[in-house]
Protein backbone atom coordinates (compact mmCIF):
# COMPACT_ATOMS: atom_id res chain seq x y z
CA UNK A 1 0.00 0.00 0.00
CA UNK A 2 1.40 3.39 -1.00
CA UNK A 3 1.84 5.91 1.76
CA UNK A 4 0.98 9.59 1.77
CA UNK A 5 2.65 11.29 -1.18
CA UNK A 6 3.78 14.90 -1.20
CA UNK A 7 5.45 17.09 -3.79
CA UNK A 8 7.70 18.85 -4.18
CA UNK A 9 10.06 17.60 -1.47
CA UNK A 10 12.01 20.84 -1.46
CA UNK A 11 11.17 24.35 -2.58
CA UNK A 12 13.25 27.52 -2.48
CA UNK A 13 11.55 30.81 -3.32
CA UNK A 14 12.05 34.49 -2.76
CA UNK A 15 9.81 36.35 -0.37
CA UNK A 16 6.57 37.69 -1.80
CA UNK A 17 6.43 34.86 -4.35
CA UNK A 18 3.58 32.34 -4.34
CA UNK A 19 4.14 28.65 -3.64
CA UNK A 20 1.95 25.55 -3.68
CA UNK A 21 2.29 22.12 -2.13
CA UNK A 22 0.47 18.98 -3.21
CA UNK A 23 -0.61 15.95 -1.20
CA UNK A 24 -2.16 12.62 -2.13
CA UNK A 25 -3.42 10.70 0.90
CA UNK A 26 -3.52 6.96 1.42
CA UNK A 27 -6.25 5.43 -0.74
CA UNK A 28 -9.56 5.29 1.08
CA UNK A 29 -8.59 7.76 3.79
CA UNK A 30 -11.31 10.34 4.20
CA UNK A 31 -9.52 12.72 6.54
CA UNK A 32 -6.58 14.83 5.40
CA UNK A 33 -4.44 17.16 7.48
CA UNK A 34 -1.90 19.85 6.71
CA UNK A 35 0.69 20.53 9.42
CA UNK A 36 3.47 23.06 9.80
CA UNK A 37 6.67 21.87 11.44
CA UNK A 38 9.26 24.43 12.46
CA UNK A 39 12.81 23.31 13.14
CA UNK A 40 13.06 21.56 16.49
CA UNK A 41 9.32 21.64 17.08
CA UNK A 42 6.39 19.27 16.84
CA UNK A 43 3.90 19.48 13.98
CA UNK A 44 1.16 22.10 14.35
CA UNK A 45 -2.18 21.63 12.62
CA UNK A 46 -3.07 24.15 9.91
CA UNK A 47 -6.23 22.60 8.48
CA UNK A 48 -8.19 19.35 8.57
CA UNK A 49 -10.48 18.04 5.84
CA UNK A 50 -13.14 15.39 6.06
CA UNK A 51 -13.70 14.45 2.44
CA UNK A 52 -13.88 17.80 0.63
CA UNK A 53 -15.01 19.82 3.64
CA UNK A 54 -12.59 21.87 5.73
CA UNK A 55 -13.81 21.06 9.25
CA UNK A 56 -11.02 22.77 11.20
CA UNK A 57 -9.11 25.69 9.70
CA UNK A 58 -8.86 27.76 12.86
CA UNK A 59 -5.02 27.74 12.77
CA UNK A 60 -4.70 28.59 9.09
CA UNK A 61 -3.47 32.18 8.48
CA UNK A 62 -6.15 33.02 6.00
CA UNK A 63 -4.64 36.28 4.83
CA UNK A 64 -1.94 34.42 2.92
CA UNK A 65 -2.66 30.70 3.18
CA UNK A 66 -5.35 28.79 1.33
CA UNK A 67 -6.10 25.13 0.79
CA UNK A 68 -8.45 23.02 -1.25
CA UNK A 69 -9.51 19.40 -1.58
CA UNK A 70 -12.02 19.69 -4.37
CA UNK A 71 -12.82 16.03 -5.01
CA UNK A 72 -12.14 14.78 -1.53
CA UNK A 73 -8.92 13.00 -2.50
CA UNK A 74 -5.74 14.99 -3.13
CA UNK A 75 -5.18 18.45 -1.71
CA UNK A 76 -3.21 21.62 -2.40
CA UNK A 77 -1.90 24.12 0.14
CA UNK A 78 -0.94 27.55 -1.17
CA UNK A 79 0.91 30.51 0.28
CA UNK A 80 0.64 33.87 -1.43
CA UNK A 81 2.71 35.88 -0.83
CA UNK A 82 5.35 33.94 1.08
CA UNK A 83 7.21 35.59 3.95
CA UNK A 84 10.60 34.78 5.48
CA UNK A 85 8.88 33.30 8.54
CA UNK A 86 7.10 30.72 6.40
CA UNK A 87 10.30 28.73 6.04
CA UNK A 88 9.46 25.35 7.56
CA UNK A 89 8.46 21.81 6.68
CA UNK A 90 4.87 21.39 5.54
CA UNK A 91 3.56 17.94 6.38
CA UNK A 92 0.46 16.27 5.05
CA UNK A 93 -1.21 13.39 6.91
CA UNK A 94 -4.26 11.24 6.41
CA UNK A 95 -6.45 8.98 8.49
CA UNK A 96 -9.27 6.57 7.80
CA UNK A 97 -11.82 8.31 10.04
CA UNK A 98 -13.84 5.61 11.67
CA UNK A 99 -16.13 8.13 13.29
CA UNK A 100 -15.87 8.89 17.01
CA UNK A 101 -12.49 7.63 18.18
CA UNK A 102 -9.35 9.30 16.87
CA UNK A 103 -7.77 7.33 14.04
CA UNK A 104 -4.08 6.82 13.43
CA UNK A 105 -2.61 9.59 11.32
CA UNK A 106 -0.06 8.64 8.68
CA UNK A 107 2.34 11.33 7.56
CA UNK A 108 3.87 12.15 4.23
CA UNK A 109 7.57 13.00 3.83
CA UNK A 110 6.87 16.73 3.87
CA UNK A 111 7.89 19.69 1.74
CA UNK A 112 10.79 21.72 3.06
CA UNK A 113 10.18 25.36 2.15
CA UNK A 114 12.95 27.94 2.24
CA UNK A 115 11.98 31.56 1.71
CA UNK A 116 14.89 33.86 0.86
CA UNK B 1 -7.23 24.04 24.04
CA UNK B 2 -4.94 21.11 24.72
CA UNK B 3 -1.35 21.74 25.84
CA UNK B 4 1.24 18.95 25.77
CA UNK B 5 4.60 19.26 27.49
CA UNK B 6 7.43 16.83 26.81
CA UNK B 7 10.64 16.13 28.72
CA UNK B 8 13.53 15.87 28.35
CA UNK B 9 14.31 17.77 25.16
CA UNK B 10 17.50 15.74 24.66
CA UNK B 11 18.47 12.35 26.02
CA UNK B 12 21.63 10.31 25.59
CA UNK B 13 21.84 6.71 26.75
CA UNK B 14 24.36 3.92 26.37
CA UNK B 15 23.46 1.21 23.92
CA UNK B 16 21.59 -1.53 25.74
CA UNK B 17 20.27 0.77 28.47
CA UNK B 18 16.68 1.97 28.78
CA UNK B 19 15.28 5.34 27.75
CA UNK B 20 12.22 7.06 29.21
CA UNK B 21 10.44 10.08 27.76
CA UNK B 22 7.62 11.77 29.65
CA UNK B 23 4.68 13.91 28.57
CA UNK B 24 1.93 15.74 30.39
CA UNK B 25 -1.33 17.01 28.94
CA UNK B 26 -3.87 19.56 30.12
CA UNK B 27 -7.24 18.49 28.70
CA UNK B 28 -8.84 15.83 30.89
CA UNK B 29 -11.06 14.87 27.93
CA UNK B 30 -8.05 13.63 25.94
CA UNK B 31 -8.33 9.92 25.27
CA UNK B 32 -5.79 9.04 22.57
CA UNK B 33 -2.01 9.28 22.99
CA UNK B 34 0.28 8.32 20.09
CA UNK B 35 4.06 8.41 19.94
CA UNK B 36 5.87 9.23 16.71
CA UNK B 37 9.51 8.67 15.76
CA UNK B 38 11.09 11.06 13.27
CA UNK B 39 14.51 10.44 11.81
CA UNK B 40 16.41 13.35 10.30
CA UNK B 41 14.71 14.54 7.13
CA UNK B 42 12.09 11.80 7.29
CA UNK B 43 8.38 11.66 8.00
CA UNK B 44 7.03 11.13 11.53
CA UNK B 45 6.14 7.45 11.96
CA UNK B 46 3.79 6.04 14.56
CA UNK B 47 5.60 3.62 16.87
CA UNK B 48 2.96 3.00 19.52
CA UNK B 49 -0.27 4.50 20.81
CA UNK B 50 -2.54 4.09 23.79
CA UNK B 51 -6.17 4.92 24.48
CA UNK B 52 -7.50 6.02 27.82
CA UNK B 53 -9.25 2.74 28.56
CA UNK B 54 -5.90 1.03 29.21
CA UNK B 55 -2.99 1.94 31.48
CA UNK B 56 -0.12 0.25 29.65
CA UNK B 57 0.68 -1.11 26.23
CA UNK B 58 3.77 -2.95 25.08
CA UNK B 59 5.20 -3.83 21.69
CA UNK B 60 8.51 -5.69 21.86
CA UNK B 61 11.09 -3.23 23.24
CA UNK B 62 8.66 -0.30 23.36
CA UNK B 63 6.03 0.38 26.00
CA UNK B 64 3.76 3.27 26.87
CA UNK B 65 2.15 3.93 30.23
CA UNK B 66 -0.75 6.27 30.94
CA UNK B 67 -1.80 7.86 34.23
CA UNK B 68 -5.12 9.59 33.60
CA UNK B 69 -5.40 10.94 37.12
CA UNK B 70 -2.07 12.73 36.88
CA UNK B 71 -2.55 13.45 33.16
CA UNK B 72 0.79 12.11 32.09
CA UNK B 73 2.05 9.35 29.84
CA UNK B 74 5.50 7.96 29.16
CA UNK B 75 7.42 6.12 26.48
CA UNK B 76 9.82 3.39 27.56
CA UNK B 77 12.41 1.89 25.23
CA UNK B 78 14.40 -1.05 26.58
CA UNK B 79 17.63 -2.58 25.27
CA UNK B 80 18.27 0.49 23.14
CA UNK B 81 20.01 0.11 19.80
CA UNK B 82 21.75 2.67 17.55
CA UNK B 83 18.77 2.69 15.19
CA UNK B 84 16.63 4.04 18.03
CA UNK B 85 18.42 7.38 17.65
CA UNK B 86 15.83 9.88 16.42
CA UNK B 87 13.46 12.60 17.60
CA UNK B 88 10.40 11.28 19.42
CA UNK B 89 7.13 13.21 19.68
CA UNK B 90 4.23 12.53 21.98
CA UNK B 91 0.74 13.77 21.15
CA UNK B 92 -2.73 13.89 22.66
CA UNK B 93 -6.24 14.02 21.22
CA UNK B 94 -9.67 14.38 22.75
CA UNK B 95 -11.41 12.37 20.06
CA UNK B 96 -11.99 15.21 17.65
CA UNK B 97 -9.27 14.01 15.27
CA UNK B 98 -7.02 16.89 16.33
CA UNK B 99 -3.58 15.91 17.60
CA UNK B 100 -1.58 18.30 19.78
CA UNK B 101 2.11 17.43 19.72
CA UNK B 102 4.83 17.86 22.28
CA UNK B 103 8.04 19.67 21.40
CA UNK B 104 10.04 16.50 20.85
CA UNK B 105 12.91 14.61 22.48
CA UNK B 106 16.13 14.03 20.61
CA UNK B 107 17.33 10.59 21.66
CA UNK B 108 20.95 9.63 21.00
CA UNK B 109 22.14 6.09 21.57
CA UNK B 110 25.83 5.94 22.39
CA UNK B 111 27.53 2.81 21.00
Amino acid sequence: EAGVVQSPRYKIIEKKQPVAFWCNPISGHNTLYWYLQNLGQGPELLIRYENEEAVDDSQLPKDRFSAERLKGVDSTLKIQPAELGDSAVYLCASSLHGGGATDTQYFGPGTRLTVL
Amino acid sequence: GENVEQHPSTLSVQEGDSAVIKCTYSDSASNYFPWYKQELGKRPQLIIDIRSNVGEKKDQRIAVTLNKTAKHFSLHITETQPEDSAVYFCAASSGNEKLTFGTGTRLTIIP
Side-chain angles (χ1 to χ4, degrees):
Chain A
E1 177 182 288
V4 176
V5 178
Q6 289 187 247
S7 69
R9 292 294 314 279
Y10 305 91
K11 189 73 176 179
I12 301 174
I13 61 172
E14 295 191 347
K15 63 181 180 182
K16 301 185 181 180
Q17 294 300 305
V19 64
F21 315 123
W22 177 81
C23 172
N24 194 40
I26 293 173
S27 178
H29 280 197
N30 297 325
T31 308
L32 183 146
Y33 313 76
W34 283 103
Y35 286 90
L36 166 71
Q37 186 175 28
N38 286 305
L39 188 64
Q41 299 293 317
E44 299 172 35
L45 182 69
L46 290 172
I47 189 168
R48 173 169 67 94
Y49 282 92
E50 289 188 11
N51 298 304
E52 65 275 7
E53 182 182 359
V55 295
D56 183 357
D57 63 356
S58 57
Q59 302 302 311
L60 189 72
K62 298 180 183 62
D63 57 335
R64 298 184 299 107
F65 287 66
S66 64
E68 60 183 18
R69 194 186 184 200
L70 296 176
K71 297 183 179 179
V73 181
D74 58 342
S75 176
T76 302
L77 177 68
K78 299 179 181 178
I79 308 175
Q80 182 171 11
E83 297 179 352
L84 295 176
D86 296 331
S87 295
V89 175
Y90 291 82
L91 292 165
C92 179
S94 70
S95 66
L96 188 60
H97 185 52
T102 302
D103 290 317
T104 298
Q105 294 185 24
Y106 297 89
F107 283 84
T111 297
R112 181 176 297 277
L113 174 67
T114 301
V115 182
L116 302 176
Chain B
E2 176 68 279
N3 182 50
V4 177
E5 295 190 358
Q6 183 172 347
H7 300 279
S9 57
T10 60
L11 179 61
S12 296
V13 301
Q14 290 290 140
E15 182 178 353
D17 288 350
S18 296
V20 180
I21 302 170
K22 299 180 179 180
C23 289
T24 60
Y25 61 98
S26 61
D27 188 350
S28 57
S30 288
N31 56 13
Y32 175 64
F33 307 91
W35 286 88
Y36 284 84
K37 175 184 180 182
Q38 188 174 29
E39 298 178 42
L40 189 62
K42 301 286 184 64
R43 71 187 74 197
Q45 291 196 304
L46 181 74
I47 56 171
I48 196 167
D49 57 10
I50 192 168
R51 299 188 186 271
S52 59
N53 57 345
V54 297
E56 183 174 358
K57 184 177 179 180
K58 189 174 182 180
D59 182 3
Q60 299 182 338
R61 297 186 297 109
I62 295 173
V64 56
T65 58
L66 171 64
N67 183 327
K68 284 196 66 181
T69 302
K71 291 191 282 189
H72 68 69
F73 56 113
S74 300
L75 177 71
H76 305 251
I77 306 174
T78 59
E79 301 173 14
T80 54
Q81 301 169 3
E83 53 265 37
D84 294 331
S85 294
V87 178
Y88 292 80
F89 292 98
C90 64
S93 173
S94 58
N96 59 358
E97 309 289 339
K98 179 175 181 177
L99 284 180
T100 300
F101 284 83
T103 50
T105 296
R106 181 175 299 279
L107 175 63
T108 302
I109 307 302
I110 305 167

Short mmCIF file of all heavy atoms in Angstrom, two decimals, chain A residues 4 9 33 37 40-43 48 97 100-105 107-109, chain B residues 32 36 38 41 43-44 46 49 51 89 93 95-99 101-103:
data_model
loop_
_atom_site.label_atom_id
_atom_site.label_comp_id
_atom_site.label_asym_id
_atom_site.label_seq_id
_atom_site.Cartn_x
_atom_site.Cartn_y
_atom_site.Cartn_z
N VAL A 4 1.36 8.23 2.14
CA VAL A 4 0.98 9.59 1.77
C VAL A 4 2.10 10.17 0.89
O VAL A 4 3.28 10.07 1.23
CB VAL A 4 0.80 10.46 3.03
CG1 VAL A 4 0.50 11.91 2.64
CG2 VAL A 4 -0.30 9.89 3.91
N ARG A 9 9.42 17.89 -2.75
CA ARG A 9 10.06 17.60 -1.47
C ARG A 9 10.79 18.82 -0.93
O ARG A 9 10.88 19.01 0.27
CB ARG A 9 11.05 16.45 -1.62
CG ARG A 9 10.40 15.10 -1.90
CD ARG A 9 9.56 14.62 -0.70
NE ARG A 9 10.25 14.77 0.56
CZ ARG A 9 11.15 13.93 1.03
NH1 ARG A 9 11.48 12.86 0.34
NH2 ARG A 9 11.72 14.15 2.21
N TYR A 33 -4.94 16.09 6.61
CA TYR A 33 -4.44 17.16 7.48
C TYR A 33 -3.24 17.82 6.82
O TYR A 33 -2.41 17.15 6.22
CB TYR A 33 -3.97 16.60 8.82
CG TYR A 33 -4.90 15.63 9.51
CD1 TYR A 33 -5.01 14.31 9.07
CD2 TYR A 33 -5.63 16.01 10.63
CE1 TYR A 33 -5.83 13.41 9.71
CE2 TYR A 33 -6.46 15.11 11.28
CZ TYR A 33 -6.55 13.81 10.82
OH TYR A 33 -7.37 12.91 11.46
N GLN A 37 5.68 22.28 10.47
CA GLN A 37 6.67 21.87 11.44
C GLN A 37 7.89 22.79 11.34
O GLN A 37 8.64 22.74 10.37
CB GLN A 37 7.09 20.41 11.26
CG GLN A 37 8.02 19.93 12.37
CD GLN A 37 8.37 18.46 12.29
OE1 GLN A 37 8.37 17.86 11.21
NE2 GLN A 37 8.65 17.85 13.44
N GLY A 40 12.97 21.86 15.07
CA GLY A 40 13.06 21.56 16.49
C GLY A 40 11.74 21.57 17.23
O GLY A 40 11.70 21.54 18.46
N GLN A 41 10.64 21.60 16.47
CA GLN A 41 9.32 21.64 17.08
C GLN A 41 8.45 20.49 16.58
O GLN A 41 8.76 19.86 15.57
CB GLN A 41 8.63 22.96 16.75
CG GLN A 41 9.36 24.18 17.27
CD GLN A 41 9.37 24.26 18.77
OE1 GLN A 41 8.37 24.02 19.44
NE2 GLN A 41 10.53 24.58 19.33
N GLY A 42 7.35 20.25 17.30
CA GLY A 42 6.39 19.27 16.84
C GLY A 42 5.49 19.85 15.76
O GLY A 42 5.39 21.07 15.62
N PRO A 43 4.83 18.99 15.00
CA PRO A 43 3.90 19.48 13.98
C PRO A 43 2.74 20.26 14.60
O PRO A 43 2.25 19.91 15.68
CB PRO A 43 3.39 18.19 13.33
CG PRO A 43 4.43 17.16 13.62
CD PRO A 43 4.97 17.52 14.97
N ARG A 48 -7.76 20.75 8.66
CA ARG A 48 -8.19 19.35 8.57
C ARG A 48 -9.41 19.26 7.65
O ARG A 48 -10.35 20.05 7.79
CB ARG A 48 -8.54 18.80 9.95
CG ARG A 48 -9.16 17.41 9.92
CD ARG A 48 -9.23 16.82 11.33
NE ARG A 48 -10.14 17.53 12.21
CZ ARG A 48 -11.42 17.18 12.40
NH1 ARG A 48 -11.93 16.16 11.74
NH2 ARG A 48 -12.17 17.85 13.26
N HIS A 97 -10.63 7.71 9.43
CA HIS A 97 -11.82 8.31 10.04
C HIS A 97 -12.92 7.31 10.22
O HIS A 97 -13.82 7.16 9.39
CB HIS A 97 -12.36 9.50 9.24
CG HIS A 97 -13.50 10.19 9.95
ND1 HIS A 97 -13.40 10.62 11.25
CD2 HIS A 97 -14.73 10.50 9.56
CE1 HIS A 97 -14.54 11.17 11.61
NE2 HIS A 97 -15.38 11.11 10.61
N GLY A 100 -15.88 9.01 15.55
CA GLY A 100 -15.87 8.89 17.01
C GLY A 100 -14.46 8.88 17.54
O GLY A 100 -13.90 9.92 17.84
N ALA A 101 -13.84 7.72 17.63
CA ALA A 101 -12.49 7.63 18.18
C ALA A 101 -11.48 8.21 17.20
O ALA A 101 -11.68 8.18 15.99
CB ALA A 101 -12.15 6.17 18.47
N THR A 102 -10.40 8.74 17.72
CA THR A 102 -9.35 9.30 16.87
C THR A 102 -8.61 8.18 16.15
O THR A 102 -8.17 7.22 16.77
CB THR A 102 -8.38 10.11 17.73
OG1 THR A 102 -9.11 11.14 18.40
CG2 THR A 102 -7.31 10.75 16.86
N ASP A 103 -8.48 8.33 14.84
CA ASP A 103 -7.77 7.33 14.04
C ASP A 103 -6.30 7.65 13.95
O ASP A 103 -5.89 8.80 14.10
CB ASP A 103 -8.36 7.29 12.63
CG ASP A 103 -9.75 6.71 12.60
OD1 ASP A 103 -9.98 5.70 13.29
OD2 ASP A 103 -10.60 7.26 11.90
N THR A 104 -5.51 6.63 13.64
CA THR A 104 -4.08 6.82 13.43
C THR A 104 -3.85 7.74 12.24
O THR A 104 -4.47 7.57 11.18
CB THR A 104 -3.40 5.46 13.17
OG1 THR A 104 -3.57 4.64 14.33
CG2 THR A 104 -1.92 5.65 12.90
N GLN A 105 -2.98 8.70 12.41
CA GLN A 105 -2.61 9.59 11.32
C GLN A 105 -1.28 9.14 10.72
O GLN A 105 -0.32 8.89 11.46
CB GLN A 105 -2.50 11.03 11.83
CG GLN A 105 -3.83 11.60 12.30
CD GLN A 105 -3.74 13.05 12.70
OE1 GLN A 105 -2.85 13.78 12.26
NE2 GLN A 105 -4.68 13.49 13.53
N PHE A 107 1.75 10.12 8.11
CA PHE A 107 2.34 11.33 7.56
C PHE A 107 3.05 11.08 6.23
O PHE A 107 3.59 10.00 5.98
CB PHE A 107 3.36 11.92 8.55
CG PHE A 107 2.72 12.63 9.70
CD1 PHE A 107 2.28 11.94 10.81
CD2 PHE A 107 2.53 14.01 9.65
CE1 PHE A 107 1.68 12.61 11.87
CE2 PHE A 107 1.94 14.69 10.70
CZ PHE A 107 1.52 13.99 11.82
N GLY A 108 3.05 12.14 5.43
CA GLY A 108 3.87 12.15 4.23
C GLY A 108 5.28 12.61 4.57
O GLY A 108 5.55 12.97 5.71
N PRO A 109 6.17 12.62 3.57
CA PRO A 109 7.57 13.00 3.83
C PRO A 109 7.77 14.50 4.02
O PRO A 109 8.82 14.90 4.51
CB PRO A 109 8.30 12.53 2.56
CG PRO A 109 7.26 12.58 1.51
CD PRO A 109 5.97 12.21 2.18
N TYR B 32 -6.63 9.76 23.53
CA TYR B 32 -5.79 9.04 22.57
C TYR B 32 -4.40 9.65 22.60
O TYR B 32 -4.26 10.88 22.47
CB TYR B 32 -6.41 9.13 21.17
CG TYR B 32 -5.55 8.53 20.08
CD1 TYR B 32 -5.25 7.17 20.07
CD2 TYR B 32 -5.02 9.32 19.07
CE1 TYR B 32 -4.47 6.61 19.08
CE2 TYR B 32 -4.23 8.76 18.08
CZ TYR B 32 -3.96 7.42 18.09
OH TYR B 32 -3.18 6.87 17.10
N TYR B 36 5.29 9.27 18.04
CA TYR B 36 5.87 9.23 16.71
C TYR B 36 7.39 9.32 16.81
O TYR B 36 7.94 10.03 17.66
CB TYR B 36 5.35 10.39 15.86
CG TYR B 36 3.94 10.20 15.35
CD1 TYR B 36 2.85 10.54 16.14
CD2 TYR B 36 3.70 9.70 14.08
CE1 TYR B 36 1.55 10.37 15.68
CE2 TYR B 36 2.41 9.52 13.60
CZ TYR B 36 1.35 9.86 14.40
OH TYR B 36 0.06 9.69 13.94
N GLN B 38 10.73 10.35 14.49
CA GLN B 38 11.09 11.06 13.27
C GLN B 38 12.60 11.09 13.13
O GLN B 38 13.30 11.73 13.93
CB GLN B 38 10.53 12.49 13.28
CG GLN B 38 10.71 13.21 11.95
CD GLN B 38 10.03 14.57 11.93
OE1 GLN B 38 9.87 15.23 12.95
NE2 GLN B 38 9.60 15.01 10.74
N GLY B 41 15.17 14.38 8.51
CA GLY B 41 14.71 14.54 7.13
C GLY B 41 13.63 13.57 6.69
O GLY B 41 13.28 13.53 5.51
N ARG B 43 9.72 11.41 7.49
CA ARG B 43 8.38 11.66 8.00
C ARG B 43 8.23 11.13 9.42
O ARG B 43 8.88 10.15 9.80
CB ARG B 43 7.36 10.96 7.09
CG ARG B 43 7.35 9.43 7.18
CD ARG B 43 6.44 8.83 6.14
NE ARG B 43 7.02 8.89 4.81
CZ ARG B 43 6.34 8.74 3.68
NH1 ARG B 43 5.04 8.53 3.72
NH2 ARG B 43 6.93 8.81 2.52
N PRO B 44 7.36 11.73 10.22
CA PRO B 44 7.03 11.13 11.53
C PRO B 44 6.33 9.79 11.32
O PRO B 44 5.44 9.69 10.49
CB PRO B 44 6.08 12.15 12.16
CG PRO B 44 6.30 13.43 11.41
CD PRO B 44 6.66 13.01 10.02
N LEU B 46 4.40 6.53 13.32
CA LEU B 46 3.79 6.04 14.56
C LEU B 46 4.54 4.81 15.04
O LEU B 46 4.76 3.87 14.28
CB LEU B 46 2.33 5.69 14.32
CG LEU B 46 1.57 5.18 15.54
CD1 LEU B 46 1.26 6.34 16.48
CD2 LEU B 46 0.29 4.47 15.13
N ASP B 49 0.75 3.58 20.31
CA ASP B 49 -0.27 4.50 20.81
C ASP B 49 -1.05 3.82 21.92
O ASP B 49 -1.00 2.59 22.09
CB ASP B 49 -1.20 4.99 19.69
CG ASP B 49 -1.91 3.84 18.95
OD1 ASP B 49 -1.83 2.69 19.41
OD2 ASP B 49 -2.51 4.12 17.90
N ARG B 51 -4.89 4.24 24.25
CA ARG B 51 -6.17 4.92 24.48
C ARG B 51 -6.48 4.89 25.96
O ARG B 51 -5.95 4.06 26.71
CB ARG B 51 -7.28 4.27 23.64
CG ARG B 51 -6.98 4.36 22.16
CD ARG B 51 -8.10 3.91 21.26
NE ARG B 51 -7.66 3.91 19.86
CZ ARG B 51 -7.75 4.94 19.05
NH1 ARG B 51 -8.28 6.06 19.47
NH2 ARG B 51 -7.32 4.86 17.79
N PHE B 89 8.19 12.27 19.33
CA PHE B 89 7.13 13.21 19.68
C PHE B 89 5.97 12.47 20.32
O PHE B 89 5.52 11.44 19.81
CB PHE B 89 6.59 13.91 18.43
CG PHE B 89 7.56 14.85 17.78
CD1 PHE B 89 8.31 14.45 16.69
CD2 PHE B 89 7.72 16.15 18.25
CE1 PHE B 89 9.20 15.31 16.07
CE2 PHE B 89 8.62 17.01 17.64
CZ PHE B 89 9.36 16.60 16.56
N SER B 93 -5.03 13.65 21.95
CA SER B 93 -6.24 14.02 21.22
C SER B 93 -7.45 13.73 22.08
O SER B 93 -7.49 12.71 22.77
CB SER B 93 -6.33 13.24 19.91
OG SER B 93 -7.59 13.48 19.28
N GLY B 95 -10.41 13.09 20.85
CA GLY B 95 -11.41 12.37 20.06
C GLY B 95 -12.00 13.17 18.94
O GLY B 95 -12.91 12.72 18.26
N ASN B 96 -11.48 14.36 18.73
CA ASN B 96 -11.99 15.21 17.65
C ASN B 96 -11.05 15.21 16.45
O ASN B 96 -11.09 16.12 15.64
CB ASN B 96 -12.18 16.64 18.16
CG ASN B 96 -10.89 17.24 18.68
OD1 ASN B 96 -9.85 16.58 18.70
ND2 ASN B 96 -10.94 18.47 19.09
N GLU B 97 -10.22 14.18 16.37
CA GLU B 97 -9.27 14.01 15.27
C GLU B 97 -8.12 15.01 15.31
O GLU B 97 -7.27 14.99 14.44
CB GLU B 97 -9.97 14.11 13.89
CG GLU B 97 -11.18 13.22 13.73
CD GLU B 97 -10.82 11.76 13.63
OE1 GLU B 97 -9.67 11.44 13.30
OE2 GLU B 97 -11.70 10.92 13.92
N LYS B 98 -8.10 15.91 16.28
CA LYS B 98 -7.02 16.89 16.33
C LYS B 98 -5.95 16.41 17.29
O LYS B 98 -6.21 16.16 18.46
CB LYS B 98 -7.55 18.24 16.80
CG LYS B 98 -6.46 19.31 16.89
CD LYS B 98 -7.04 20.66 17.24
CE LYS B 98 -5.93 21.71 17.31
NZ LYS B 98 -6.46 23.06 17.57
N LEU B 99 -4.72 16.29 16.78
CA LEU B 99 -3.58 15.91 17.60
C LEU B 99 -2.81 17.16 18.01
O LEU B 99 -2.52 18.01 17.17
CB LEU B 99 -2.63 14.99 16.83
CG LEU B 99 -3.03 13.54 16.65
CD1 LEU B 99 -1.97 12.79 15.86
CD2 LEU B 99 -3.25 12.86 18.00
N PHE B 101 0.82 18.07 19.55
CA PHE B 101 2.11 17.43 19.72
C PHE B 101 2.94 18.11 20.79
O PHE B 101 2.82 19.32 21.03
CB PHE B 101 2.90 17.47 18.40
CG PHE B 101 2.41 16.48 17.38
CD1 PHE B 101 1.34 16.79 16.56
CD2 PHE B 101 3.03 15.25 17.23
CE1 PHE B 101 0.88 15.88 15.61
CE2 PHE B 101 2.59 14.34 16.29
CZ PHE B 101 1.52 14.66 15.48
N GLY B 102 3.80 17.32 21.43
CA GLY B 102 4.83 17.86 22.28
C GLY B 102 5.95 18.44 21.44
O GLY B 102 5.93 18.35 20.21
N THR B 103 6.96 18.99 22.10
CA THR B 103 8.04 19.67 21.40
C THR B 103 9.16 18.74 20.98
O THR B 103 10.12 19.17 20.35
CB THR B 103 8.61 20.80 22.26
OG1 THR B 103 8.90 20.27 23.56
CG2 THR B 103 7.62 21.94 22.39
#
